[in-house]
Amino acid sequence: MMDLKNIKAVIIDFDGTLYDSKGFTKKFLKTLGFSSLLKARNERKLRSLYKGKYFGTGEEFYFSYFQELARLCHVSPQKISDWYFKKYMKAMTETLRKYFTCRPGTEKLFAFFKEKNIKTAVFSDYGFVPQRMKAIGLEGASDFLFSAEILGGLKPACEPFFKIARVLGEKPENILVIGDRPDTDGRGALNSCMKSLIVKTEKNSKQNLENIFTWEEILSMIFSETGL
């Protein structure tokens, strides 16, 4: 059992962690529409290639990202940027609002952290974090909301984690990261000298990791007297 007694702040991933994302892709693509399928496929391909890359600022990240995505989609950077923010991210938020809600006990978890004076930050690789938090019923739940895009680079790059730590005003070793992906959330925490707990999902359940638990087990660990 991980010792959580010295934790002063918590960084929580969004997709797949605060809600069960099973079935999301099919529903999202239906909401997005057939005309955007090729662009969406290229976006996912490019995001995988950009995993862990750090550009310094959100402006530099978006400049590089939309230049490359525009090349893949054979349109101008301005057109692909407009599509991304006005259609792609809007469809993502709408899919959450229509079909998904936060995991059971999530509101209680944030309330518990607040009661214990433990600062929280929700950290997503994608943008529109306030809108997507509201979509799953968690508007106002966390102290801080962060997008890796705006921070300048996708997980598991350590620099965005350090930026969040500075905002939280805590040393990395006193911060717990809760996520669902060992390769991004877990690796990012390790790279940043933070502790991590990984939520067990269908995608990662076969990985033999010491810090992987069901959502219910994570809640039990945190709420227990031997926890925080």
Side-chain angles (χ1 to χ4, degrees):
M1 187 72 71
M2 182 181 294
D3 182 6
L4 303 177
K5 291 182 179 179
N6 294 322
I7 295 302
K8 305 296 182 185
V10 181
I11 298 173
I12 308 178
D13 169 60
F14 184 81
D15 292 296
T17 301
L18 290 179
Y19 72 97
D20 184 350
S21 60
K22 183 180 179 181
F24 177 84
T25 300
K26 186 176 181 179
K27 292 180 174 66
F28 169 56
L29 293 177
K30 181 179 179 181
T31 303
L32 184 61
F34 179 78
S35 63
S36 287
L37 292 185
L38 180 59
K39 291 186 179 75
R41 191 174 295 117
N42 284 329
E43 196 282 329
R44 294 302 302 165
K45 176 183 177 182
L46 183 60
R47 185 163 291 266
S48 178
L49 293 174
Y50 271 52
K51 186 174 74 172
K53 290 187 177 182
Y54 181 65
F55 293 84
T57 67
E59 290 80 6
E60 290 171 303
F61 171 84
Y62 282 131
F63 177 80
S64 175
Y65 203 73
F66 291 137
Q67 287 283 336
E68 187 60 23
L69 187 56
R71 185 188 66 80
L72 291 173
C73 297
H74 305 289
V75 298
S76 70
Q78 185 60 56
K79 279 191 175 182
I80 204 67
S81 174
D82 288 344
W83 169 82
Y84 182 80
F85 290 117
K86 296 177 181 179
K87 190 164 187 177
Y88 190 75
M89 292 306 302
K90 185 177 179 181
M92 187 180 293
T93 304
E94 182 63 13
T95 302
L96 290 172
R97 187 190 67 79
K98 288 172 64 175
Y99 300 108
F100 295 87
T101 188
C102 61
R103 291 182 185 272
T106 305
E107 300 100 322
K108 183 181 176 182
L109 179 66
F110 280 109
F112 177 81
F113 287 141
K114 187 166 292 188
E115 176 188 334
K116 298 292 184 180
N117 293 315
I118 295 169
K119 287 166 281 191
T120 61
V122 172
F123 180 28
S124 174
D125 260 333
Y126 283 98
F128 282 45
V129 186
Q131 297 92 324
R132 292 188 294 132
M133 284 285 284
K134 181 178 180 180
I136 62 170
L138 290 176
E139 183 178 21
S142 181
D143 300 316
F144 301 98
L145 306 177
F146 293 97
S147 160
E149 297 174 347
I150 295 173
L151 291 177
L154 304 184
K155 305 170 188 173
C158 61
E159 291 88 351
F161 286 88
F162 288 138
K163 286 183 178 181
I164 295 174
R166 288 195 289 272
V167 173
L168 293 172
E170 299 294 343
K171 296 178 180 179
E173 57 265 31
N174 293 331
I175 297 176
L176 172 68
V177 176
I178 303 175
D180 70 307
R181 289 188 55 173
D183 62 328
T184 57
D185 304 310
R187 177 59 59 179
L190 181 64
N191 291 345
S192 310
C193 302
M194 300 177 184
K195 295 182 174 69
S196 67
L197 292 174
I198 301 300
V199 181
K200 184 178 290 187
T201 66
E202 282 189 341
K203 293 181 179 179
N204 66 31
S205 60
K206 294 182 180 180
Q207 298 186 40
N208 186 23
L209 301 169
E210 291 184 358
N211 63 335
I212 189 168
F213 303 92
T214 66
W215 179 251
E216 292 74 20
E217 287 171 336
I218 289 176
L219 292 183
S220 178
M221 289 171 62
I222 291 173
F223 293 149
S224 70
E225 293 183 2
T226 59
L228 299 169

